[in-house]
Amino acid sequence: MGMEEEPRTVNALFTELVTACVPPSSVDVDQLGPEAQEMRAGLIRHCSEAEGLLEAHYSDLLAGFDNPLDHLTLFPYFNNYILLSELEHGLLSRHVPGPPPARVAFVGSGPLPLSSLVLAARHLPDARFDNYDICGEANERARRLVRADEGLAARMAFRTSDVAHVTRDMAAYDVVFLAALVGMAAEEKAHVVDHLGRHMAPGAALVVRSAHGARGFLYPVVDPEEITRGGFEVLAVHHPEGEVINSVIIARKPPVPVPLPPMEISMEHAHAHHHSHGGAVVTRPCLCCEIEARAHQKMEEMPLEKLPS
């Protein structure tokens, strides 16, 4: 098979698989038997390898142009990244209001970091992006794509590191994006989320890519409860029904609780002490508990996001 024929064959097979998995489906991959689960895990690994090789091929192809960023549409799934980035930015803006993020980390950026490129160019033009990948060759390929754009290159860093080893630096980011194929097994994903929960800054947002229905044969499914156990508040879970493949989970590390002023603390203590000499006493819950209760109530009342068919 020739050099030009191989990418076309991989692309055709991948397109056929995606087409089979995209229609709405009632399949719950968590309910599959052991044999089917093993087959699914193998399929996700194969898809990951194929996607990586496809991105490396097109990254090399784009690097041959004077300005690679002018030719990103050559990648056959470029429009999917346009739509996914627009969706993620919209959900982030809606559920985590406030000033635009100044520093963003993208974990699992790969040799063709289209998500970061689209977000930086179209949605977050003033933000600095740190792209993390464990593969040094992938980062070298990615760097070549921004070499002709001085402004974008100045805002794009590519760091070769396992994010599980990044500790102090994680507190610098306003938003962290977690790519779908970072931690393909459930326990690996849980380990990454737990690490981010321990080291991200209070109030920082986490955007996690997941999958739903039959799309779980293409990408790992992330249980929102796993995000909660990692120390985050889950603000939204969105399952697209159109061209966008990945589900999106928007979460936030809770802000640091605001302590009561000394006078209020003294009054609370005196009030409790005054009633401690009678019968059973029901004390007023602390401010932290009230904040947590309101947050849980808000999350329970929040409907899941859905795109129209």
Side-chain angles (χ1 to χ4, degrees):
M1 186 178 290
M3 290 291 289
E4 292 300 321
E5 204 60 37
E6 188 171 350
R8 291 198 194 99
T9 302
V10 172
N11 182 36
L13 288 171
F14 193 64
T15 300
E16 187 176 344
L17 177 61
V18 170
T19 302
C21 295
V22 160
S25 170
S26 60
V27 171
D28 182 354
V29 295
D30 289 334
Q31 301 303 315
L32 298 175
E35 186 177 349
Q37 288 287 12
E38 186 177 349
M39 180 273 291
R40 172 179 167 259
L43 185 59
I44 291 176
R45 284 195 300 272
H46 284 308
C47 286
S48 174
E49 293 170 6
E51 192 171 321
L53 291 171
L54 197 65
E55 289 186 6
H57 169 79
Y58 277 95
S59 186
D60 290 342
L61 178 67
L62 291 167
F65 293 98
D66 291 337
N67 189 346
L69 300 182
D70 290 340
H71 304 276
L72 294 179
T73 53
L74 290 174
F75 187 69
Y77 303 106
F78 180 65
N79 190 58
N80 182 273
Y81 285 89
I82 293 286
L83 296 175
L84 177 56
S85 298
E86 183 178 0
L87 171 63
E88 289 175 328
H89 179 258
L91 290 170
L92 195 60
S93 300
R94 187 184 316 162
H95 295 285
V96 189
R103 292 198 63 181
V104 175
F106 195 97
V107 180
S109 48
L112 187 61
L114 290 175
S115 292
S116 289
L117 294 175
V118 173
L119 284 165
R122 297 189 175 211
H123 303 293
L124 300 171
D126 298 317
R128 174 182 169 184
F129 282 72
D130 284 349
N131 299 280
Y132 289 88
D133 201 281
I134 60 173
C135 178
E137 290 184 8
N139 283 328
E140 285 302 318
R141 282 186 161 102
R143 275 190 202 96
R144 292 183 301 173
L145 301 180
V146 298
R147 68 178 190 273
D149 189 320
E150 291 184 6
L152 194 57
R155 295 193 289 122
M156 282 276 175
F158 298 93
R159 305 181 62 175
T160 303
S161 179
D162 183 339
V163 73
H165 300 152
V166 181
T167 55
R168 185 176 58 184
D169 288 352
M170 294 310 302
Y173 302 114
D174 303 304
V175 181
V176 175
F177 287 82
L178 185 61
L181 295 173
V182 174
M184 287 188 284
E187 59 273 16
E188 295 172 347
K189 186 81 73 175
H191 176 69
V192 173
V193 171
D194 180 70
H195 177 81
L196 294 174
R198 283 186 283 114
H199 296 287
M200 283 172 59
L206 177 66
V207 181
V208 180
R209 292 178 180 177
S210 180
H212 183 66
R215 300 173 188 216
F217 287 98
L218 300 171
Y219 294 104
V221 175
V222 182
D223 185 350
E225 287 296 322
E226 201 65 64
I227 308 297
T228 302
R229 283 191 290 270
F232 294 91
E233 300 171 320
V234 174
L235 305 178
V237 180
H238 187 108
H239 300 308
E241 296 180 351
E243 188 177 341
V244 175
I245 306 299
N246 292 115
S247 297
V248 178
I249 301 173
I250 305 292
R252 184 181 62 171
K253 185 171 177 179
V256 176
V258 179
L260 285 171
M263 181 60 70
E264 283 192 55
I265 293 175
S266 299
M267 291 177 66
E268 289 286 339
H269 178 74
H271 180 74
H273 180 73
H274 175 74
H275 289 278
S276 63
H277 299 287
V281 177
V282 180
T283 59
R284 178 178 177 270
C286 69
L287 180 62
C288 300
C289 295
E290 289 183 343
I291 292 173
E292 184 177 0
R294 287 198 296 269
H296 280 295
Q297 182 182 10
K298 180 180 178 182
M299 194 169 73
E300 290 172 357
E301 294 173 352
M302 183 184 304
L304 296 184
E305 301 281 349
K306 271 201 172 184
L307 285 178
S309 304

